[in-house]
Amino acid sequence: MAKLIYSAITSLDGYVEDKQGKFDWGTPDDEVFAFVNDLERPIGTHLYGRRMYETMVFWETVSTGSDQPAVTRDYTEIWRAAEKIVYSRTLQTPSSERTRIERDFDPAAIRRLKESSARDITVAGAELAGEAMAAGLVDECHLLLVPIIVGGGKRALPDDVRVQLELLAERRFRSGVVHLHYGLRGF
Ligand SMILES: NC(=O)c1ccc[n+]([C@@H]2O[C@H](COP(=O)([O-])OP(=O)(O)OC[C@H]3O[C@@H](n4cnc5c(N)ncnc54)[C@H](OP(=O)(O)O)[C@@H]3O)[C@@H](O)[C@H]2O)c1
């Protein structure tokens, strides 16, 4: 049985993008990037909201030449090898290999996917992850808290969802980023 995991890089006040739609303030340095690579390495399938997919598909075509930093080459290989399911009512065709589009987020289908998958699954894009959390599908959450307050934007965590969390691990990085790993223990 695979776990469904939500991971996000968020400002201290809980936003994945600011009011201008920017998240450059969350760009990981090499230490955080290497940590993220190790989180993503075991993942078999990514569930993406369309907006998150449009950001992430950059990795499909980025150069993997020796001019690129080792951490980004590593991430590129990990990302390209994973399966992707994109949730969208507007996207016509995927722009990456191993990718299919779903028109509806069906909790029963995700439960079946978890039961049949040998490797863990992530859900990303705060909107889609919020739907998964509200449906009780998310088992774990990784938050990378960036030491910045951005004052508004797109919230990392959904409104109107109440869940008890268990802290499973934490780590601090030289940049001041803090990683918090939680298990979701029920409503
Ligand atoms: N801080 C970070 O970790 C980080 C990293 C990279 C990027 N970002 C940015 O964070 C933002 C996340 O945006 P977001 O949370 O608004 O987007 P999201 O969850 O990635 O995508 C929202 C879109 O997903 C589709 N969708 C959602 N629920 C659906 C459902 N039930 N059925 C079918 N389709 C569904 C819809 O696409 P359609 O409109 O096509 O129907 C919806 O507009 C993005 O701008 C991303 O670039 C943040």
Side-chain angles (χ1 to χ4, degrees):
M1 173 99 173
K3 287 180 289 196
L4 183 64
I5 301 168
Y6 173 43
S7 298
I9 296 175
T10 159
S11 65
L12 184 61
D13 49 347
Y15 296 98
V16 291
E17 64 178 25
D18 62 26
K19 285 180 192 162
Q20 287 73 43
K22 290 188 184 289
F23 48 91
D24 50 345
W25 42 264
T27 303
D29 67 4
D30 282 3
E31 187 190 22
V32 174
F33 215 141
F35 179 80
V36 169
N37 288 351
D38 289 340
L39 289 182
E40 301 258 316
R41 211 177 303 281
I43 301 303
T45 305
H46 298 293
L47 312 183
Y48 285 127
R50 189 256 310 158
R51 293 190 66 214
M52 191 68 174
Y53 175 69
E54 286 177 345
T55 299
M56 298 305 289
V57 77
F58 161 84
W59 297 101
E60 186 73 4
T61 51
V62 70
S63 159
T64 52
S66 55
D67 55 321
Q68 297 296 316
V71 283
T72 56
R73 275 187 279 133
D74 190 21
Y75 186 83
T76 305
E77 280 176 24
I78 295 166
W79 193 83
R80 289 182 187 173
E83 301 292 320
K84 294 108 184 157
I85 304 174
V86 183
Y87 292 85
S88 173
R89 297 186 177 101
T90 61
L91 193 65
Q92 294 308 312
T93 45
S95 314
S96 49
E97 300 288 318
R98 286 182 268 282
T99 307
R100 65 183 164 90
I101 298 171
E102 289 285 342
R103 296 289 173 218
D104 283 301
F105 187 75
D106 175 10
I110 303 301
R111 280 192 200 94
R112 286 195 297 275
L113 182 66
K114 285 169 68 170
E115 281 163 9
S116 64
S117 297
R119 299 174 71 187
D120 285 343
I121 303 161
T122 66
V123 58
E127 183 182 320
L128 189 74
E131 291 179 45
M133 222 176 260
L137 292 167
V138 176
D139 302 289
E140 293 185 6
C141 183
H142 292 280
L143 296 179
L144 284 150
L145 294 189
V146 178
I148 187 171
I149 294 169
V150 299
K154 182 91 198 183
R155 281 168 44 73
L157 295 168
D159 289 328
D160 302 322
V161 172
R162 184 184 171 108
V163 191
Q164 191 69 42
L165 305 174
E166 178 189 356
L167 183 64
L168 301 176
E170 77 281 336
R171 177 170 163 182
R172 63 180 286 171
F173 294 87
R174 283 192 292 275
S175 59
V177 167
V178 174
H179 167 247
L180 297 171
H181 180 195
Y182 290 108
L184 280 74
R185 289 293 170 257
F187 291 81

